[in-house]
Amino acid sequence: MRCAFCQNHEISNGGFGVEVSIERLAQIFIEQQSRGAANIELVTPTHYTEPIIDAVSIAHADGLSIPVVWNSNGYELPSTINRLKNVVDIYLPDLKYFDDRHAVELSDAPNYFLHASKAIETMFDQVGAPIFDGARMIRGVLVRHLILPNRRHDSIKIIEWLYKTFGDDVYISLMNQYTPMFRAESIRSINRRLTTFEYQSVVDHALELGVKNCFIQVGRTASTDFVPHFNGSLIF
């Protein structure tokens, strides 16, 4: 995807990155576990699917026991998800758009909902309803949706589809943290932060539907303070 508002544009479009071998990646997983990490979160990992599968296999043999999280944009194929059986414990996909017009305009991602909805259904078929160890999810699906300016009705359609399809067997995260970044300033309809009304109307609709397993955000979350700094630390 080529999101016009990508907060990770330094690595997705700017060429920043650090080369890591499969063996070293497996070591990094073990090191993160030894530091007390609750899970191994793989962010936008789809284009590295095969190396990740190999690295997780090595790490499991070396004692990796914490959950592996697949944090993706949802724009992937069921065949990819099927490759991840017994590799991934928790799926954390985005479901960005219902209307394909928004997907094409803002992310150059034709047929986004068609592909993402099938991918999320496959994720759920693979790992099932959420399982917790205390307050921590150790298996399941949590679908994130970032509400965008001027597109609250699209967000409402996404919530309706999720609840109709899964009920409360998947968790939903409704995010109000949209911050205009990257190329967003060139697109008038998204060159502003979300209004309280836009966000609350989506939350209210989820409540009216009967959604129970849903995370919401309060306070000022639309800030570059929440954007990570990419410096390659703690890799070598």
Side-chain angles (χ1 to χ4, degrees):
M1 297 179 69
R2 297 176 176 84
C3 298
F5 50 89
C6 181
Q7 69 173 18
N8 302 330
H9 59 88
E10 292 174 24
I11 54 176
S12 65
N13 289 266
F16 179 84
V18 178
E19 185 173 342
V20 175
S21 70
I22 292 172
E23 292 75 17
R24 178 65 189 123
L25 183 58
Q27 291 175 348
I28 292 170
F29 295 161
I30 296 297
E31 290 167 4
Q32 293 302 318
Q33 178 174 270
S34 68
R35 292 187 178 104
N39 55 60
I40 301 297
E41 185 171 355
L42 305 164
V43 181
T44 315
T46 308
H47 49 304
Y48 292 114
T49 296
E50 294 305 320
I52 286 171
I53 291 172
D54 292 341
V56 171
S57 177
I58 293 170
H60 277 158
D62 290 339
L64 183 70
S65 59
I66 57 178
V68 174
V69 181
W70 190 262
N71 178 337
S72 76
N73 56 34
Y75 195 46
E76 48 205 339
L77 297 173
S79 58
T80 300
I81 305 306
N82 287 329
R83 291 281 293 120
L84 299 168
K85 186 176 183 179
N86 300 321
V87 175
V88 170
D89 304 288
I90 299 170
Y91 285 101
L92 186 63
D94 289 330
L95 188 53
K96 292 180 178 293
Y97 311 106
F98 187 90
D99 192 322
D100 203 48
R101 292 173 297 176
H102 302 317
V104 171
E105 177 191 10
L106 301 180
S107 295
D108 192 22
N111 298 312
Y112 173 84
F113 182 79
L114 173 67
H115 292 301
S117 60
K118 289 181 178 178
I120 293 171
E121 288 174 336
T122 305
M123 294 171 185
F124 179 77
D125 289 342
Q126 186 180 117
V127 299
I131 298 174
F132 288 84
D133 180 7
R136 291 182 177 177
M137 181 185 287
I138 58 173
R139 190 171 178 86
V141 180
L142 195 165
V143 181
R144 299 169 307 178
H145 175 63
L146 177 66
I147 301 166
L148 297 173
N150 294 302
R151 288 163 176 81
R152 67 185 181 90
H153 293 293
D154 199 61
S155 297
I156 285 171
K157 290 178 181 178
I158 284 174
I159 301 306
E160 290 175 341
W161 179 82
L162 284 170
Y163 195 59
K164 179 181 178 180
T165 306
F166 304 107
D168 283 310
D169 285 337
V170 301
Y171 273 72
I172 302 171
S173 177
L174 294 177
M175 300 181 290
N176 68 353
Q177 66 196 48
Y178 173 77
T179 305
M181 297 184 66
F182 194 34
R183 293 185 286 104
E185 64 181 12
S186 66
I187 303 174
R188 183 176 179 181
S189 65
I190 60 169
N191 190 25
R192 65 167 174 83
R193 288 173 170 79
L194 202 66
T195 66
T196 301
F197 168 76
E198 286 172 315
Y199 182 68
Q200 193 60 49
S201 66
V202 178
V203 172
D204 288 345
H205 191 76
L207 291 171
E208 290 168 5
L209 287 174
V211 174
K212 295 182 176 63
N213 294 337
C214 182
F215 295 101
I216 63 172
Q217 293 178 314
V218 296
R220 296 184 178 182
T221 62
S223 168
T224 55
D225 291 342
F226 294 95
V227 178
H229 298 287
F230 303 104
N231 58 18
S233 63
L234 299 181
I235 290 179
F236 303 106

